[in-house]
Amino acid sequence: MSKNLKRAALTVVGAVAASALLLPATAQAATPAAAEARTATQQVGTMDSGWKLDIAVDAMGYIGPIIGNVLNDIRMEKDRSGFVHRQLDDTMAAYSGYNVMIINDKLDYSMDLHGVVANARVTQGSATYRVLAFQSGTIVNRGDGGWINWGFGGWFTRDGGTVVFTS
């Protein structure tokens, strides 16, 4: 099970537990038959990867908005690599002639950049990224690579997690 899917499963379990605590006493079933009548198993979402999320939901609708938020978070996490690609393309177009780095701010990284013309933070799902446009410098990524965590373009050489940019 992927890290994001585990996080989503834990979020759903937490949301279900929280909703049980928040239900008004009058909505709680007095008998097992009443409890069965009050809940139903519904498919509340599917993802492109083929998995689906089934959950026993309260018929009065207390948990529906929570599940919608969880599914939205899953979709946003799933599209992090697409987000980095799009952000890189947009920044390269806006700052043509400059080097560009998009990097997950939670990574362990260091940088020594020169001629910085853009330095912003943007959020996608639960991740915040630094978006940089600059003339030259070095960035060392000691964390995970891959498109969900970083993307870069311009004039550079790369050796593992170390990228040296020239102008």
Side-chain angles (χ1 to χ4, degrees):
M1 186 180 291
S2 76
K3 182 178 177 182
N4 288 337
L5 188 54
K6 286 180 188 176
R7 184 179 308 136
L10 291 175
T11 303
V12 169
V13 170
V16 171
S19 70
L21 295 173
L22 297 174
L23 288 175
T26 57
Q28 293 179 357
T31 66
E36 187 174 322
R38 191 172 57 84
T39 60
T41 300
Q42 291 181 297
Q43 180 180 332
V44 294
T46 61
M47 300 300 285
D48 294 338
S49 61
W51 66 270
K52 67 180 181 176
L53 178 62
D54 290 330
I55 190 165
V57 297
D58 178 56
M60 297 177 77
Y62 289 101
I63 195 140
I66 294 170
I67 297 301
N69 289 340
V70 169
L71 290 174
N72 188 48
D73 288 347
I74 292 168
R75 285 184 190 100
M76 290 180 80
E77 286 296 320
K78 183 177 181 234
D79 192 38
R80 283 176 48 195
S81 65
F83 170 80
V84 171
H85 275 95
R86 288 187 304 276
Q87 192 67 51
L88 179 62
D89 290 346
D90 291 349
T91 308
M92 293 288 295
Y95 293 94
S96 64
Y98 288 92
N99 295 298
V100 172
M101 170 63 75
I102 315 296
I103 190 163
N104 186 333
D105 226 10
K106 290 183 182 177
L107 292 177
D108 178 16
Y109 68 91
S110 62
M111 65 177 97
D112 178 24
L113 303 179
H114 308 282
V116 176
V117 294
N119 183 359
R121 284 190 167 79
V122 294
T123 300
Q124 168 69 14
S126 63
T128 299
Y129 294 87
R130 294 267 311 260
V131 178
L132 300 148
F134 52 94
Q135 291 179 341
S136 63
T138 301
I139 296 180
V140 179
N141 177 2
R142 290 178 286 278
D144 292 335
W147 280 104
I148 67 167
N149 285 315
W150 71 337
F152 45 91
W155 300 268
F156 62 88
T157 58
R158 177 181 178 186
D159 183 11
T162 301
V163 184
V164 178
F165 295 90
T166 58
S167 47

